[in-house]
Amino acid sequence: MTLFKLGEREPGSYDEPVTLAELAEQGEVRSVVLESADDVSALKPYLNRLALIVLRFPIFRDGRGFTQARELREYLRYGGEIRADGHVLPDQADFLKRCGVDSVDLPEGSDTGPWERQIARYAVSFQRSVLPEHVLDVGTRVAR
């Protein structure tokens, strides 16, 4: 496993994350894995003690992980680490970062070069982000 850091936060080292169903049964767990079909609001009672939430991307075409990340950051104000795992591509690096994902779990031996190039590629964006940003003009934003 290779962890690629998307933003400012350093990826942490935690015990093996449990599933959402196991979370209620295990009191002191600090990391959970959320499948794309899981409801993010089910995590609400546990957010204060969770240090890591892993979002699973089962296939390339499934974008629910992006929505889950934004819900965690914007609506539930989750401040811990969010990690993407599964079928994610370097082309999605900037979108993941702008949705609040801190790191990506890549297969062992993966080349992080394409990920680094994608993160550095765009300085300006048109969509809103969970990141602090500065509005340049109508519809144009830049990260602070």
Side-chain angles (χ1 to χ4, degrees), residues 11-108:
S13 180
Y14 307 99
D15 292 335
E16 187 68 27
V18 298
T19 65
L20 183 59
E22 295 168 335
L23 183 62
E25 300 165 3
Q26 301 185 19
E28 298 301 317
V29 173
R30 297 191 39 128
S31 58
V32 65
V33 61
L34 208 58
E35 301 295 335
S36 60
D38 290 339
D39 182 9
V40 171
S41 63
L43 288 178
K44 201 171 185 178
Y46 311 103
L47 288 178
N48 287 342
R49 68 177 161 114
L50 289 175
L52 170 68
I53 298 174
V54 178
L55 303 177
R56 284 253 167 87
F57 289 77
I59 57 174
F60 167 72
R61 297 183 314 261
D62 191 340
R64 289 179 284 182
F66 293 96
T67 304
Q68 289 173 324
R70 284 199 76 125
E71 285 181 31
L72 285 165
R73 293 288 190 223
E74 287 187 3
Y75 306 127
L76 300 178
R77 303 286 182 211
Y78 176 66
E81 181 181 348
I82 298 176
R83 185 177 298 167
D85 181 41
H87 198 189
V88 289
L89 302 173
D91 293 353
Q92 299 169 317
D94 193 51
F95 299 118
L96 288 165
K97 179 180 174 183
R98 296 179 55 77
C99 287
V101 175
D102 300 297
S103 59
V104 179
D105 191 358
L106 302 174
E108 192 66 42

Side-chain angles (χ1 to χ4, degrees), residues 2 105-115:
T2 301
D105 191 358
L106 302 174
E108 192 66 42
S110 295
D111 179 13
T112 58
W115 289 88

